[in-house]
Amino acid sequence: LHNNIIRYDTCQSISIAGKRHKITTIMMTYNHRNKSCAVMAIAVLLLTSAFVIGLSPASSRRSSIHPVAQQNRIATTSIISSPFALSSKSSDEESQQKTSTTSLYDDLPAKKPWTFGILTSGFPPQQLLVPFVKFVTFQVWRLMMNELVTHDEQGRFIRESFQAGNNPAPLDLDGSYRLYLGNPCPWCHRVKAAVAVLGVENQDIPITMLIDDAEKASKGGWILPKPSEEDKTSIAEELITGDLAGVYNFCYRDILGERERYQGRCTAPLLVDVNAGKIVTNESNEIMVLLNDYSRRKGSFDTTTIDLRPVGMEEELDKATKYWFNLLWNGAYRCGFATSQVAYDEAASDVLKGP
């Protein structure tokens, strides 16, 4: 392996759990020109060592208790279990004896999960094993995070522009719309709060509460609840069954090829025009602006109507929204999705500045 492995020393014998095992010791040197071979050699050594240790049965490994500890355990057990050991003593002496001999620890179970016994045997050395496991675990975790969201080279979370609803038109008062929201999502929280304050829930704009279940979703993590009988007769099946990815596929059917699936992220909150089968927008701030405009126009003659975006204050509200978004709202996501300490520290600093 390009001089990374120098030689083999064979036929050495060690004792593991009372049994003799012949092993092969691999002597290595580090070649900075080919680091991958050295890492591979270390991995092979660790896995081989784990296999050798695992060959010894659990009963043999249990027998390796320190002799003094084993003797004390047997003595304690015999004193407690014998019905005649303390019969000739007074009650005070008996109470004192029980207090001093009762073990605080449990006996080893007759059956327990099988293990390699690596950490308890000391071979391979823990100083090599722990960093190796941490390295592999971190690489797998970072790969999953990069698949889930976009990052830059420094591990900073990058929020991509939304694929739908770049400039959504005002909602039609006679239209039919549906909101898709999920409780675990903070962006859905703000939309749901706006819906409740404006009073456009239920009859005006129904809400489908998504279920967070990544094991059942074909993409992302959102699946749809069981539809009502009324929805089955009035709404396209793709908008009320399956998962949120199916809703995106259906709404983009005109631009997708045959058997082609939507490649972007299937996110919530999502506002859909049910009659047209099209996405209005999947950006929370745009949804709230549209809902407020919808409520204002529909209740223009009602003096009790709440206006969350008063005319003349748009610029001030947009400035405040951008401030809180950059530091606090998106800052929390930047903390959670950071894949490096530098990226996390930067995001955490912004979150603390937000309040």
Side-chain angles (χ1 to χ4, degrees), residues 28-44:
M28 290 174 294
T29 184
Y30 197 76
N31 186 347
H32 68 278
R33 295 183 179 180
N34 198 339
K35 299 180 182 179
S36 60
C37 290
V39 174
M40 290 174 59
I42 294 174
V44 172

Side-chain angles (χ1 to χ4, degrees), residues 62-75:
R62 287 198 300 270
S63 65
S64 60
I65 302 176
H66 193 280
V68 176
Q70 183 73 11
Q71 184 178 2
N72 291 340
R73 175 175 292 176
I74 295 174

Side-chain angles (χ1 to χ4, degrees), residues 115-130:
T115 65
F116 284 110
I118 298 175
L119 295 179
T120 55
S121 68
F123 184 82
Q126 181 171 306
Q127 293 87 342
L128 292 178
L129 179 63
V130 173

